[in-house]
Amino acid sequence: MTQKSILLIATAFGALTVAIGAFGAHALGPMLRETNRIDTFETAVKYQMYHTLALLAVGLLLFRVEQPALQVAAWCFFLGILIFSGSLYTLCITGITWLGAITPIGGTALIVGWGALFYAILKAL
């Protein structure tokens, strides 16, 4: 991923996070409350925003630091957001419960992303 693509993806994810959060609160609110999935939906939105900010930080760090581990972190945050939050959104909307089995794969990607970011900073500074 290029620095520009990382920053563009992060800003797109940021806007998407706000839109999804608003859609969940307003349009899906009654259904999410009825199915007791509001906490799950909110977790997906929170993790998406936290890791969007982490992805943005990685993109900005690339202005100062050339460290291959930053690319690993960017990919892990990108895939982790898609898999972790995406599986939770889909679970909330469709009720397909087996999707909960994929969520930890996304969570693992997010953890690896933080580890790669740690390593990149350790080696670069």
Side-chain angles (χ1 to χ4, degrees), residues 33-52:
R33 280 188 287 283
E34 183 179 304
T35 59
N36 291 322
R37 299 236 189 256
I38 197 139
D39 289 341
T40 303
F41 194 87
E42 288 175 355
T43 296
V45 172
K46 281 190 272 188
Y47 272 67
Q48 182 174 341
M49 182 54 85
Y50 297 152
H51 292 90
T52 293

Side-chain angles (χ1 to χ4, degrees), residues 3-107:
Q3 180 185 21
K4 182 178 181 178
S5 66
I6 292 169
L7 292 169
L8 289 171
I9 289 167
T11 56
F13 270 159
L16 191 57
T17 303
V18 175
I20 290 170
F23 181 70
H26 299 290
L28 298 178
M31 188 226 13
L32 292 172
R33 280 188 287 283
E34 183 179 304
T35 59
N36 291 322
R37 299 236 189 256
I38 197 139
D39 289 341
T40 303
F41 194 87
E42 288 175 355
T43 296
V45 172
K46 281 190 272 188
Y47 272 67
Q48 182 174 341
M49 182 54 85
Y50 297 152
H51 292 90
T52 293
L53 294 172
L55 188 59
L56 184 63
V58 168
L60 294 173
L61 263 174
L62 283 167
F63 278 115
R64 306 282 282 166
V65 176
E66 278 193 42
Q67 178 51 246
L70 289 175
Q71 291 293 327
V72 173
W75 277 106
C76 287
F77 290 144
F78 174 72
L79 294 172
I81 289 167
L82 290 179
I83 298 168
F84 183 87
S85 293
S87 66
L88 291 179
Y89 294 141
T90 307
L91 167 71
C92 289
I93 293 168
T94 66
I96 301 171
T97 55
W98 66 264
L99 287 168
I102 331 176
T103 306
I105 296 169

